[in-house]
Amino acid sequence: MLTDLINRPKTSKRYVLVLVLITFAILIGGFVLLQKMQNVKILMTLFAVVWGVGSAALLYFTMNSIAQSLPRKMRSVAVAIVFAGPAVLILFWALVLPTLRTFWFSFFDATGSKFVGLKNYMFAFTDPIMLESFRNNLLWMIFGTSTCVILGLLIAVLGDKSKHEKVFKSLIFMPMAISFVGAGVIWKFVYAYKGQGINIVEIGLLNAIVTAFGGEAQPWLLVPFWNNFFLIFIMVWLQTGYAMVIISSAIKAIPSSLNEAARVDGANGFTIFFKITVPFIMPTIITVTTTILIFSLKLFDIVRVMTGGNYGTNVIANEFYLRQFTYGNTGEASAIAIVLLVVIVPVLYYNLKEFRSRKVLK
Amino acid sequence: MKKVKPKIQKSQIVIAAVLILIVTLWTVPTLGVFITSFRDSKDIYSSGWWSVLPHKDIVKTVEIELPQDIDPDGPITLEGHTANFNQWREGIEVSEGRILRWYGNKRSRIVEVYEKKWVGFGANLTLSNYRDVLAAGTVTFEDAQGNQITRQGNNFADAVLNSIAVSIPATVIPILIAAFAAYAFAWMEFPGRKPLFIMIVGLLVVPLQIALIPILRDFTAWGLNGTFVSMWLAHTGFGLPLAVYLLYNYISTLPRDIFESAYLDGATPFTTFVLLVIPLSVPALASFAIFQFLWVWNDYLVALIFLGDKNRVVTSALAAMVGEKGQDWHLLTSGAFMSMIIPLMVFFGLQRFFVKGLMAGSVKG
């Protein structure tokens, strides 16, 4: 049945018209129906999945039929448009145009009605809250990224020599499957603080350990400046697995003859590590570092859930959220988003350069 | 030769020790939340979650009621030890690990016996936290001081269903669109092919924050705010650059011959795509699907902005709980586990594909 439809030799105009009408009916009817199903959750979920996926497939099928019904001369371009068009269109709508629109908004006031020139950028670079956010983002980028990469490298190298590599690796990798919000709860519980006094039993793991060794319990997330590091550790916990997996596969690609030759020449573990392993996997280390660097720059959820950006832990992306969605200042929020983009531009440049040098596109 | 062998073993031990240390640090926080999610709300406040694990501790075993003729003001002799009331009140170790302590005032005449014992086996575990967090109605529980607290349930069951309704289409749709596009970029000739593809690669690093305000304005104008469709569209847009890039890398390596012979047989590009390219690309499609699914399921920012409180997904529901009920650990921990269970299943079940997907694309926008 399906192949019959797909292989239909010549698509008549009438058939295409009917198909277009049916497609529209399903798209609009399904949307209306979905909104009305709010009270029957299970049914709604099933319907949303089937209708959402089905509509996307149907759209392609219909568009292809339209393209096939066109005169032969236009057909090959029409088919290419059907295939590549939706992706290009969505990317323009979701990323390209928004970049320009956000740039435009950044020169206007809170509601977007009055031109204010560079005022929002003055705010973005001089406001004390923004300066604090810049400082903290710098901490995230420097300490977060380097800890992830160094730990990932360490575990990858050690794991390579261990018999139970797979178990170790998947346990360290596991947090990658956990949301930042979930991780926030996990670590809020580790950092939990009940206060000082007799008969207070600390239920947070960190304070329990500190008090067991005779220390004093601390409200870890409220200690200015240092609380940033307690938050950064959550990112390290989440992202080290990623660095480890990628670096580990690069280490496995090092020809064993190279290591053996070094060993024959009398090199010890450290020499091999610094003179062979690290230089060999340097491109991978750079890629991983770049990814985590971008990631830590845009980081939002951990700070949002753990401290809301209070107690000196604010970051740029959180301030963006606050400006736009709490204070309703589109101008300032847009300027912050543009600053984020500008910081990333060197990475973008590097990415494109590397992409061209690999000559992926024939 | 003889000397080499023990040296290797020694380094093996050091390696194992370092790895075990890191793995412990990596898993214990999750374990703590997991255990806590099964503990009684009152127990959570009075002891750490680790007290559930079997360990030796000093615990009260029995209470002895002293005969009325004992004079609390004079010296008191118990089990061969003599001391005055205040000393007994402090507690005295009468034998190895056995401590006697006077309970209450002088008139109570009750002595508690404390002994070092293995505890933790009979921990008071319960599923009621999960019931409370899934429920939509009101929930009552007892807090640390023994007060009865009544709260609105968190309706996590609905949040899980919403997450499913968001995640599955938001995984399949971008893959479908990306696969079509990747095929076109790899095997079709059309004007603007190269610059468009370079644009896609460039978009890999654009932070999604930059797109949020304009897209929110569009959704408001189109009346899509708070609908699943808005989430599908947004996640499709944000996931597409990586999806197209990865699938392009894969599809462009398929041998040209199969397409050519298909065309000779009279197949259209659409037929070739559905019947040949899709089945051949399953490994790449699957690994990206897992990646995108986890990303969408775990997303908080996009859901927070486009869905709001209507059709709340698990991450939003959990984050709202952290904000409103920061000390209700029995609800928070069970909620956290509810939000993690599906991604963890996907992760452990399909780990190998996931790793492949990660390694193929190392930048996500």
Side-chain angles (χ1 to χ4, degrees):
Chain A
M1 171 67 187
L2 184 67
T3 42
D4 275 358
L5 275 174
I6 292 168
N7 285 325
R8 209 182 168 87
K10 195 169 179 294
T11 8
S12 73
K13 290 250 153 57
R14 206 153 154 216
Y15 163 77
V16 171
L17 192 70
V18 172
L19 194 63
V20 169
L21 288 177
I22 293 175
T23 308
F24 266 107
I26 290 179
L27 287 185
I28 293 164
F31 183 76
V32 174
L33 206 60
L34 188 62
Q35 300 310 309
K36 293 202 166 141
M37 284 164 94
Q38 292 294 333
N39 298 323
V40 254
K41 274 286 173 186
I42 292 186
L43 211 64
M44 182 208 72
T45 307
L46 271 173
F47 182 76
V49 169
V50 173
W51 175 71
V53 172
S55 298
L58 184 66
L59 263 177
Y60 273 100
F61 182 76
T62 307
M63 287 191 302
N64 182 64
S65 301
I66 296 172
Q68 290 297 330
S69 73
L70 293 173
R72 189 167 273 281
K73 265 196 261 172
M74 298 154 72
R75 210 177 286 168
S76 74
V77 173
V79 169
I81 290 174
V82 167
F83 273 58
V88 172
L89 215 66
I90 290 181
L91 281 172
F92 261 96
W93 167 76
L95 291 167
V96 179
L97 282 180
T99 308
L100 302 175
R101 289 166 79 185
T102 302
F103 187 61
W104 177 254
F105 290 147
S106 71
F107 296 108
F108 286 82
D109 69 350
T111 52
S113 53
K114 209 179 120 218
F115 185 80
V116 293
L118 290 172
K119 198 173 148 243
N120 293 324
Y121 288 95
M122 289 282 286
F123 153 80
F125 287 110
T126 56
D127 193 89
I129 294 173
M130 282 305 291
L131 293 180
E132 182 196 282
S133 304
F134 278 120
R135 182 202 69 183
N136 291 344
N137 261 106
L138 213 60
L139 292 180
W140 280 85
M141 289 166 81
I142 295 170
F143 292 100
T145 310
S146 57
T147 316
C148 283
V149 175
I150 292 169
L151 256 181
L153 182 62
L154 179 79
I155 301 164
V157 170
L158 293 184
D160 198 42
K161 293 175 181 146
S162 166
K163 278 180 219 155
H164 308 287
E165 189 184 2
K166 272 193 182 155
V167 182
F168 287 132
K169 271 164 65 175
S170 49
L171 285 175
I172 289 165
F173 192 41
M174 177 196 70
M176 282 286 292
I178 297 174
S179 66
F180 300 108
V181 183
V185 172
I186 291 175
W187 285 91
K188 243 189 150 105
F189 195 50
V190 171
Y191 296 147
Y193 170 68
K194 273 179 96 176
Q196 281 161 349
I198 357 157
N199 290 333
I200 284 184
V201 186
E202 287 298 340
I203 57 167
L205 186 61
L206 187 58
N207 273 326
I209 292 172
V210 167
T211 45
F213 283 102
E216 227 167 69
Q218 299 285 333
W220 303 104
L221 295 176
L222 308 181
V223 186
F225 187 67
W226 299 108
N227 50 7
N228 282 302
F229 292 92
F230 291 107
L231 296 183
I232 290 173
F233 188 77
I234 304 173
M235 184 187 86
V236 171
W237 184 73
L238 284 159
Q239 290 289 306
T240 297
Y242 163 74
M244 174 201 70
V245 164
I246 311 276
I247 293 173
S248 172
S249 69
I251 287 177
K252 301 242 183 282
I254 300 175
S256 55
S257 55
L258 215 61
N259 283 329
E260 277 160 28
R263 226 173 264 282
V264 169
D265 286 350
N268 62 22
F270 284 97
T271 322
I272 291 177
F273 177 75
F274 286 110
K275 293 269 164 73
I276 293 174
T277 312
V278 171
F280 198 89
I281 61 167
M282 210 53 202
T284 310
I285 293 181
I286 291 174
T287 315
V288 169
T289 311
T290 316
T291 316
I292 301 181
L293 212 59
I294 298 176
F295 180 84
S296 60
L297 181 71
K298 299 181 302 186
L299 185 116
F300 160 81
D301 323 43
I302 294 176
V303 172
R304 180 99 208 125
V305 174
M306 298 294 281
T307 62
N310 299 311
Y311 322 113
T313 58
N314 213 356
V315 288
I316 301 174
N318 185 57
E319 193 53 31
F320 161 83
Y321 178 85
L322 286 177
R323 291 285 149 188
Q324 173 61 30
F325 299 102
T326 309
Y327 308 141
N329 193 328
T330 304
E332 287 176 353
S334 300
I336 296 172
I338 294 294
V339 170
L340 267 183
L341 181 69
V342 170
V343 179
I344 288 175
V345 162
V347 185
L348 172 77
Y349 175 76
Y350 170 82
N351 238 42
L352 284 177
K353 215 179 87 184
E354 201 209 20
F355 170 72
R356 288 207 170 169
S357 71
R358 277 193 289 159
K359 290 199 175 76
V360 183
L361 206 64
K362 281 149 281 190
Chain B
M1 273 318 275
K2 266 185 188 170
K3 269 188 181 171
V4 175
K5 217 178 170 186
K7 205 179 163 190
I8 288 170
Q9 279 173 340
K10 204 171 159 191
S11 71
Q12 275 290 336
I13 292 169
V14 174
I15 288 169
V18 173
L19 285 177
I20 288 170
L21 184 79
I22 298 174
V23 167
T24 311
L25 194 62
W26 249 245
T27 45
V28 164
T30 316
L31 184 74
V33 161
F34 183 63
I35 290 176
T36 306
S37 71
F38 294 104
R39 296 185 73 205
D40 187 74
S41 60
K42 220 171 136 191
D43 289 354
I44 296 173
Y45 295 97
S46 53
S47 60
W49 58 266
W50 46 89
S51 64
V52 166
L53 306 173
H55 64 287
K56 258 194 161 169
D57 204 356
I58 297 167
V59 287
K60 192 171 92 176
T61 46
V62 277
E63 276 181 14
I64 307 171
E65 208 166 319
L66 298 178
Q68 288 297 319
D69 57 337
I70 281 190
D71 174 21
D73 293 322
I76 308 161
T77 306
L78 290 169
E79 297 193 10
H81 281 68
T82 311
N84 66 24
F85 171 75
N86 283 332
Q87 286 166 317
W88 281 116
R89 245 195 109 169
E90 290 281 301
I92 286 174
E93 191 168 348
V94 289
S95 61
E96 185 82 33
R98 189 174 163 88
I99 297 167
L100 298 188
R101 192 182 292 160
W102 189 285
Y103 174 80
N105 57 20
K106 287 183 180 175
R107 272 182 302 170
S108 77
R109 288 197 164 79
I110 288 173
V111 168
E112 296 173 325
V113 180
Y114 287 87
E115 270 172 309
K116 217 168 179 161
K117 263 184 69 176
W118 278 98
V119 289
F121 298 103
N124 194 7
L125 298 181
T126 166
L127 276 172
S128 67
N129 299 339
Y130 284 91
R131 191 198 61 211
D132 289 356
V133 86
L134 286 169
T138 53
V139 160
T140 21
F141 59 88
E142 211 167 88
D143 76 354
Q145 284 79 41
N147 306 316
Q148 285 288 326
I149 292 182
T150 308
R151 289 224 173 114
Q152 190 60 34
N154 294 95
N155 205 354
F156 244 67
D158 273 7
V160 170
L161 288 174
N162 286 335
S163 272
I164 293 172
V166 166
S167 304
I168 296 179
T171 303
V172 180
I173 295 171
I175 289 180
L176 187 72
I177 296 177
F180 271 109
Y183 176 67
F185 280 112
W187 299 107
M188 286 176 177
E189 286 294 336
F190 56 92
R193 189 173 74 113
K194 260 189 184 178
L196 284 175
F197 196 75
I198 286 170
M199 177 197 83
I200 292 173
V201 177
L203 291 176
L204 275 171
V205 293
V206 171
L208 65 85
Q209 272 93 352
I210 209 139
L212 294 178
I213 301 170
I215 290 182
L216 185 66
R217 291 195 165 201
D218 287 349
F219 283 157
T220 313
W222 302 338
L224 284 181
N225 265 346
T227 64
F228 293 131
V229 177
S230 71
M231 291 294 284
W232 302 340
L233 276 174
H235 279 301
T236 301
F238 301 144
L240 261 185
L242 185 68
V244 175
Y245 179 65
L246 290 185
L247 295 179
Y248 172 88
N249 284 345
Y250 188 87
I251 291 175
S252 64
T253 58
L254 296 175
R256 175 167 274 247
D257 314 359
I258 48 167
F259 302 123
E260 276 165 3
S261 55
Y263 291 142
L264 284 177
D265 288 345
T268 64
F270 193 79
T271 329
T272 318
F273 178 79
V274 174
L275 299 178
L276 270 178
V277 179
I278 293 280
L280 284 173
S281 312
V282 164
L285 298 174
S287 63
F288 182 75
I290 298 158
F291 200 35
Q292 174 80 1
F293 178 82
L294 289 178
W295 194 68
V296 175
W297 184 279
N298 287 334
D299 156 76
Y300 173 51
L301 182 59
V302 179
L304 185 65
I305 290 168
F306 297 138
L307 274 182
D309 282 340
K310 208 172 146 196
N311 294 328
R312 203 143 85 162
V313 292
V314 282
T315 45
S316 309
L318 190 61
M321 272 169 71
V322 176
E324 296 156 13
K325 307 165 187 180
Q327 294 305 312
D328 294 349
W329 288 114
H330 64 296
L331 297 177
L332 278 176
T333 51
S334 51
F337 235 81
M338 284 305 302
S339 79
M340 293 190 303
I341 187 92
I342 290 180
L344 281 179
M345 269 159 48
V346 169
F347 172 78
F348 280 112
L350 307 166
Q351 209 186 110
R352 277 173 53 213
F353 288 111
F354 181 40
V355 171
K356 265 191 209 159
L358 260 184
M359 283 186 315
S362 32
V363 184
K364 169 97 185 172

